[in-house]
Amino acid sequence: MKVSVIVAAYNIEDYIQRCLESISFQTLKDIEIIVVNDGSVDSTLEIINNIANGDKRVKIINKENKGLIEARKSGLKIASGEYILFVDGDDWIEKETLELLYENAVKNQSDIVMYNYYVSGEKSKIEESVLNEKLTNNDYLENLFLNKIKPTIWSKFIRLKFIKENNIELPSDISFAEDLATVATFFMNNPKVSILNKYLYNYCIRGTSLTNSINKNVLELNKAFNFIKEKLIEKRLYSYYKESFYY
């Protein structure tokens, strides 16, 4: 199995079919599609089941609602592909995404491939780079802390063996900035990284999405920061990265 795509889905009946069809119709066929229904109460699960009936590569995890990061972790536990890609259930990917990412990863023997994406609204599609500015060194953790790299987990194509061999622990009980905490944890383990300068993912902008809502989750930023700090201390990296971390 070349790629495991892990899709988290919660009450997105208007979006999940587009997402899953964009994965099912990929030019790379040797994939598994792990869909985690995170306690949806609309018709999301029904739509997922209908798609799974027509595509045996789709595996469904149906669980009670515990949030995005726990849904991703549930999918990661059963993933069997060489590489994994996290996709949010209201987003979608371009037709050659998995083939291009896998080819780049194999060619460069990468643990992580970073790539560009579109910010897609109802009437617009804007190109966004995974890099906020040109990198002057290969210290990806420092570059992440200095805001030179977008922290989005879905713009990273990750070798599953890299996660398992380094016993990488994803954060828990975080519902805001969980991507930053997760990506920082990956970069702490000195991955071999390559960058593919192609736009392959569509990040959907919608009025009800978490990042477009003002809510109490903003107050949970400290949970993400504390998780990162604890991991830095655990790996004896805190003194080295202290300045960029506080930045």
Side-chain angles (χ1 to χ4, degrees):
M1 185 75 62
K2 292 180 177 178
V3 180
S4 298
V5 185
I6 301 172
V7 181
Y10 173 67
N11 287 351
I12 47 172
E13 59 186 4
D14 295 332
Y15 304 93
I16 188 62
Q17 183 161 340
R18 175 182 63 187
C19 173
L20 296 182
E21 286 182 349
S22 78
I23 302 168
S24 291
F25 298 145
Q26 286 290 297
T27 54
L28 182 67
K29 303 301 182 185
D30 187 16
I31 66 174
E32 65 177 356
I33 307 166
I34 302 170
V35 190
V36 185
N37 177 51
D38 189 32
S40 298
V41 295
D42 61 1
S43 61
T44 295
L45 180 57
E46 181 182 349
I47 296 169
I48 295 169
N49 283 328
N50 287 338
I51 292 174
N53 287 335
D55 190 340
K56 300 306 179 185
R57 299 172 300 174
V58 178
K59 301 176 181 178
I60 302 172
I61 299 175
N62 192 29
K63 60 188 290 295
E64 63 179 307
N65 178 247
K66 289 189 176 180
L68 178 60
I69 190 67
E70 296 303 325
R72 288 172 174 168
K73 288 162 71 173
S74 295
L76 187 60
K77 285 179 181 177
I78 68 167
S80 59
E82 295 175 52
Y83 285 83
I84 61 168
L85 182 69
F86 292 102
V87 176
D88 289 350
D90 51 354
D91 299 337
W92 71 99
I93 57 178
E94 298 294 309
K95 191 172 184 179
E96 295 183 340
T97 294
L98 300 181
E99 182 177 3
L100 292 173
L101 288 172
Y102 184 78
E103 286 178 352
N104 183 278
V106 171
K107 177 182 177 182
N108 295 291
Q109 297 184 318
S110 303
D111 296 311
I112 297 175
V113 182
M114 300 194 296
Y115 63 97
N116 302 330
Y117 59 95
Y118 298 105
V119 176
S120 298
E122 291 182 6
K123 299 180 180 179
S124 64
K125 192 168 183 175
I126 303 170
E127 293 180 349
E128 285 283 343
S129 174
V130 71
L131 304 181
N132 289 320
E133 60 181 271
K134 185 176 180 180
L135 305 185
T136 56
N137 61 55
N138 291 331
D139 190 333
Y140 295 100
L141 183 58
E142 181 180 62
N143 286 316
L144 178 71
F145 288 157
L146 296 179
N147 197 35
K148 295 181 180 181
I149 298 174
K150 296 283 198 323
T152 46
I153 186 64
W154 39 256
S155 60
K156 317 293 185 294
F157 186 67
I158 310 148
R159 190 198 304 266
L160 183 58
K161 188 177 180 180
F162 166 75
I163 297 175
K164 292 184 174 181
E165 287 187 344
N166 289 285
N167 296 313
I168 295 176
E169 175 191 0
L170 272 64
S172 297
D173 194 30
I174 297 177
S175 56
F176 199 80
E178 68 271 25
D179 277 18
L180 174 63
T182 302
V183 174
T185 305
F186 289 153
F187 286 161
M188 284 179 209
N189 287 276
N190 195 31
K192 184 174 182 181
V193 179
S194 59
I195 300 172
L196 180 59
N197 189 28
K198 290 184 179 295
Y199 300 86
L200 302 175
Y201 189 101
N202 290 272
Y203 170 60
C204 177
I205 295 291
R206 55 191 180 100
T208 57
S209 66
L210 176 64
T211 50
N212 286 313
S213 302
I214 299 174
N215 53 46
K216 65 181 181 180
N217 288 320
V218 175
L219 302 177
E220 295 197 2
L221 275 170
N222 275 342
K223 287 185 178 180
F225 296 149
N226 288 335
F227 177 84
I228 295 170
K229 184 176 180 179
E230 288 171 6
K231 289 300 176 184
L232 286 171
I233 293 172
E234 180 183 305
K235 291 185 169 294
R236 300 181 180 179
L237 296 171
Y238 181 67
S239 60
Y240 183 84
Y241 286 102
K242 183 177 180 179
E243 185 176 348
S244 58
F245 169 66
Y246 275 99
Y247 175 88

